């Protein structure tokens, strides 16, 4: 999964995850929830999130494979929590097909 | 002038506020739902009514991550526990409170922003953010210590007490002045609850329901209450130091288990019989620590001329600490001690909802999600207390 690309920075280990959601609104919520948290070591690891339609695209880059693996797995843990919240608690909110965020 | 009605309830026809509180700064995960009636007397009153909001508790659910005897809780495992249980607890709380449509009924979602362990705080904050966006309900980030204080004031109706905040992570004596909860004295190293918890680990006694509770039970079985085991008494001005006491009593316990007859404190010089039991150690440790706490609390009372003490935090549910504090208060100006039981003393979601709702009613809520980043260090006096005179 890890590919080397010709990046000028030292963060040359990259990975892109595409996480499908039921609706564009859910993908947008997930990206907004993940966005605010700062990266502890920005010189070693970076991540960006974007909602593209019903998909959340997360782009990671890290200094080496280990840093990348640790960073990605912690984001996946967070995503699991967000998806569980959306799945379990969204019925009480507005209809989940509504894409009005 | 404090106007607690600056923000009107979501549905003005209902005439009440509903708040969801999420707490997860240590090994307890708490979800609470409270209701504040919309009262004319809390609006634009010159009087400070923040201690008497007529709170109604609709749900107060807690799940504790309990580790095996001899082990403490680690941030990573605690965060996993919170992630596993948070959504289930919220569902249960909504059901218990009879909230069918969270989106339409909730006025605000409150969560602990700090202080505490980073990873557990973060996992709960994620759920809070998701719910806020999903239901389009405003968020409020709450200081954990202020949560304890506001819940204690609301339950006991103590108007302006000196607060002793004692828990596993914090030990502070606090007095209110000019929109801040000011720290009069605090621990210089470990918290009193941490000292008790770690001694419980040395004794290998169970961590359920809480290590401090089990020490309290052992201490109450002490048969030799007249002769205390002498421990260091380390009050430093208005502050305390407890790590030395812990190291010393830990070494005593280890000598006791090993049967180290050379230890003259534990074993009789001539006969070699044990003079001290585990129960005696627990009793002496409690007496010593609590005497130190009572001393600095009394000094704070003298400074601010107060006659009320409010004890909050997990250790505050200890009956012996409450008793010692009551004796001091009675001797001094016939004052009163206010304390709550384990439902509100030990970390819970309701207290976060209470402090968060007060903040929300003053119009102070999260405008941008970047304000919801959790912080491990968040001192009590950093919070601007707009809801008090």
């Amino acid at each position: 999964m890890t590919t080397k690309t010709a990046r000028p920075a030292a963060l040359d280990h990259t990975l892109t995850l595409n996480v499908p959601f039921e609706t564009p609104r859910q993908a947008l919520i997930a990206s907004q929830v993940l966005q605010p948290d700062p990266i502890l070591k920005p010189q070693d690891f970076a991540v960006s999130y974007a909602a593209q339609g019903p998909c959340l695209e997360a782009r990671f880059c890290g200094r080496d494979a280990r840093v990348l693996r640790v960073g990605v797995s912690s984001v996946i843990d967070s995503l699991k929590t967000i998806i569980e919240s959306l799945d379990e608690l969204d019925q009480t909110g507005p209809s989940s097909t509504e894409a009005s965020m | 002038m404090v106007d607690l009605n600056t923000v009107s309830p979501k549905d003005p026809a209902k005439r009440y506020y509903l708040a969801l509180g999420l707490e997860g700064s240590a090994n307890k995960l708490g979800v609470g739902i409270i209701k504040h009636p919309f009262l004319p007397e809390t609006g634009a009153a010159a009087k400070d009514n923040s201690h008497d909001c007529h709170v109604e508790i609709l749900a107060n659910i807690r799940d504790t991550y309990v580790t095996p005897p001899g082990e403490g809780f680690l941030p990573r495992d605690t965060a996993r526990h919170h992630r596993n249980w948070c959504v289930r607890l919220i569902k249960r709380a909504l059901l218990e409170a009879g909230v069918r449509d969270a989106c339409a009924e909730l006025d605000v979602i409150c969560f602990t922003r700090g202080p505490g362990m980073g990873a557990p705080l973060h996992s709960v904050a994620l759920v809070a953010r998701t719910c806020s966006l999903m239901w389009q309900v405003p968020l409020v980030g709450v200081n954990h210590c202020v949560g304890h204080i506001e819940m204690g004031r609301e339950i006991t109706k103590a108007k302006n007490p000196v607060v002793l905040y004692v828990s596993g992570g914090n030990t502070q004596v606090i007095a209110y002045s000019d929109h801040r909860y000011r720290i009069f004295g605090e621990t210089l190293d470990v918290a009193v609850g941490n000292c008790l918890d770690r001694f419980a680990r040395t004794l290998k006694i169970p961590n359920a329901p809480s290590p401090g509770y089990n020490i309290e039970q052992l201490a109450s079985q002490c048969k030799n209450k007249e002769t205390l085991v002498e421990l260091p008494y380390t009050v430093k001005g208005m502050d305390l130091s407890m790590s030395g006491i812990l190291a010393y009593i830990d070494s005593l316990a280890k000598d006791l288990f090993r049967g180290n007859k050379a230890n003259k404190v534990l074993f009789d010089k001539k006969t070699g019989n044990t003079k001290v039991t585990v129960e005696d150690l627990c009793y002496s440790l409690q007496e010593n620590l609590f005497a130190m706490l009572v001393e600095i609390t009394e000094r704070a009372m003298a400074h601010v001329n107060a006659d009320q003490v409010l004890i909050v935090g997990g250790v505050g549910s200890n009956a012996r600490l409450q008793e010692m504090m009551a004796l001091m208060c009675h001797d001094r100006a016939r004052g009163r001690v206010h304390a709550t039981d384990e439902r509100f003393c030990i970390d819970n979601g309701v207290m976060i909802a209470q402090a968060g709702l007060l903040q929300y009613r003053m119009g102070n809520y999260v405008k941008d999600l970047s304000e919801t980043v959790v912080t491990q260090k968040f001192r009590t006096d950093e919070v601007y207390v707009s809801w008090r005179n």
Side-chain angles (χ1 to χ4, degrees):
Chain A
M1 291 231 285
T2 314
T3 51
K4 288 216 170 195
T5 51
R7 270 175 171 270
L11 304 179
D12 53 357
H13 288 68
T14 62
L15 175 73
T16 304
L17 286 182
N18 277 294
V19 186
F21 282 83
E22 282 176 12
T23 61
R25 170 177 161 268
Q26 290 192 343
L28 187 62
I29 290 179
S31 77
Q32 286 172 321
V33 170
L34 288 167
Q35 209 91 59
D37 291 314
I39 301 294
L40 286 179
K41 287 186 176 171
Q43 70 276 21
D44 290 350
F45 183 75
V47 55
S48 66
Y49 307 100
Q52 295 184 330
C55 250
L56 171 74
E57 189 190 74
R59 290 171 173 275
F60 304 91
C61 46
R63 198 191 40 159
D64 54 43
R66 191 186 62 84
V67 168
L68 188 66
R69 186 188 66 78
V70 171
V72 171
S73 72
S74 104
V75 169
I76 290 178
D77 277 341
S78 299
L79 262 174
K80 274 157 65 185
T81 311
I82 296 167
I83 291 170
E84 193 194 351
S85 311
L86 290 167
D87 279 350
E88 295 291 320
L89 298 168
D90 209 7
Q91 290 92 328
T92 46
S95 130
S96 51
T97 47
E98 188 187 77
S100 66
M101 279 300 293
Chain B
M1 289 287 272
V2 174
D3 181 3
L4 280 172
N5 298 346
T6 33
V7 179
S8 54
K10 197 167 207 173
D11 181 356
K14 273 190 192 146
R15 317 270 314 152
Y16 63 74
Y17 300 91
L18 217 55
L20 169 71
L22 305 173
E23 150 65 25
S25 62
N27 68 335
K28 282 116 192 148
L29 177 65
V31 177
I33 298 177
I34 60 164
K35 187 195 242 182
H36 278 186
F38 185 80
L39 299 170
E41 64 258 37
T42 51
K47 272 184 7 191
D48 179 352
N49 272 321
S50 61
H51 65 295
D52 193 7
C53 303
H54 300 262
V55 69
E56 194 183 322
I57 291 152
L58 305 181
N60 184 11
I61 305 179
R62 174 168 56 220
D63 194 272
T64 308
Y65 171 57
V66 180
T67 47
E71 285 176 33
F73 52 92
L74 299 169
R76 241 173 67 103
D77 305 327
T78 312
R80 191 178 52 220
H81 166 270
H82 289 4
R83 280 200 303 270
N84 285 343
W85 286 95
C86 198
V87 171
R88 275 181 270 183
L89 289 202
I90 294 175
K91 274 184 104 171
R92 250 175 64 201
L94 291 173
L95 198 70
E96 214 170 273
V99 177
R100 281 205 207 90
D101 186 354
C103 173
E105 293 179 54
L106 287 180
D107 285 278
V108 61
I109 298 172
C110 317
F111 71 101
T112 315
R113 200 163 81 78
M117 286 182 167
L121 281 171
H122 177 243
S123 39
V124 177
L126 281 177
V127 179
R129 283 181 207 150
T130 312
C131 289
S132 163
L133 289 172
M134 186 162 70
W135 296 333
Q136 297 170 36
V137 173
L139 266 181
V140 172
V142 176
N143 179 301
H144 183 85
C145 316
V146 174
H148 272 296
I149 297 170
E150 291 309 337
M151 199 64 217
R153 289 177 67 230
E154 176 70 31
I155 296 287
T156 65
K157 306 281 179 256
K159 206 170 157 77
N160 186 21
V162 166
V163 182
L164 176 67
Y165 171 34
V166 274
S167 70
N170 296 72
T171 303
Q172 297 178 341
V173 179
I174 300 157
Y176 174 83
S177 162
D178 194 20
H179 298 291
R180 303 263 173 197
Y181 284 113
R182 303 194 189 257
I183 303 172
F184 251 74
E186 63 193 314
T187 177
L188 299 172
D189 37 59
V190 299
V192 59
N194 191 248
C195 183
L196 293 168
D197 291 359
R198 281 160 70 175
F199 186 55
R201 266 179 248 166
T202 309
L203 298 180
K204 297 254 172 21
I205 57 177
N207 285 327
S210 70
Y213 177 81
N214 293 323
I215 292 212
E216 188 183 352
Q217 297 309 306
L218 281 175
S220 69
Q221 291 157 23
C222 168
K223 295 194 182 65
N224 196 10
K225 291 188 179 171
E226 266 65 61
T227 37
L228 288 173
V229 179
E230 208 168 307
L231 298 172
Y233 186 87
T234 40
V235 171
K236 314 275 177 190
M238 285 304 290
D239 297 329
L240 306 170
S241 160
M242 280 168 286
S243 61
I245 300 174
L246 174 65
Y248 179 65
I249 198 159
D250 262 354
S251 77
L252 284 183
K254 280 178 185 144
D255 277 353
L256 186 63
F257 292 145
R258 253 191 276 130
N260 180 9
K261 305 273 181 196
N263 193 325
K264 297 287 175 287
V265 180
L266 301 170
F267 298 98
D268 196 281
K269 224 185 287 179
K270 290 183 193 116
T271 59
N273 291 338
T274 12
K275 288 194 289 187
V276 173
T277 63
V278 167
E279 287 80 4
D280 296 344
L281 286 181
C282 290
Y283 183 74
S284 300
L285 178 62
Q286 273 199 16
E287 293 297 301
N288 196 68
L289 291 176
F290 295 167
M292 288 163 44
L293 293 173
V294 171
E295 181 188 329
I296 59 166
T297 311
E298 179 169 17
R299 204 168 308 130
M301 286 171 82
H303 275 296
V304 298
N305 231 339
D307 60 353
Q308 291 179 317
V309 179
L310 172 65
I311 312 179
V312 297
V315 183
S317 60
N318 188 304
R320 179 61 186 148
L321 174 60
Q322 294 181 6
E323 186 190 355
M324 287 170 76
M325 197 62 79
L327 278 172
M328 179 273 282
C329 286
H330 184 79
D331 286 350
R332 192 200 149 73
R334 308 252 170 256
R336 279 203 62 195
V337 59
H338 297 276
T340 55
D341 60 28
E342 58 84 28
R343 286 172 302 165
F344 306 111
C345 251
I346 300 175
D347 294 351
N348 58 79
V350 167
M351 68 184 210
I352 300 302
Q354 171 70 14
L357 185 50
L358 283 171
Q359 203 173 314
Y360 173 75
R361 290 176 65 175
M362 297 304 296
N364 182 3
Y365 50 88
V366 169
K367 311 286 193 296
D368 185 280
L369 281 183
S370 63
E371 299 159 38
T372 63
V373 176
V374 297
T375 158
Q376 302 206 71
K377 298 210 185 303
F378 188 8
R379 282 176 68 80
T380 317
D381 48 14
E382 280 176 48
V383 180
Y384 182 78
V385 183
S386 52
W387 54 90
R388 287 189 66 174
N389 270 336

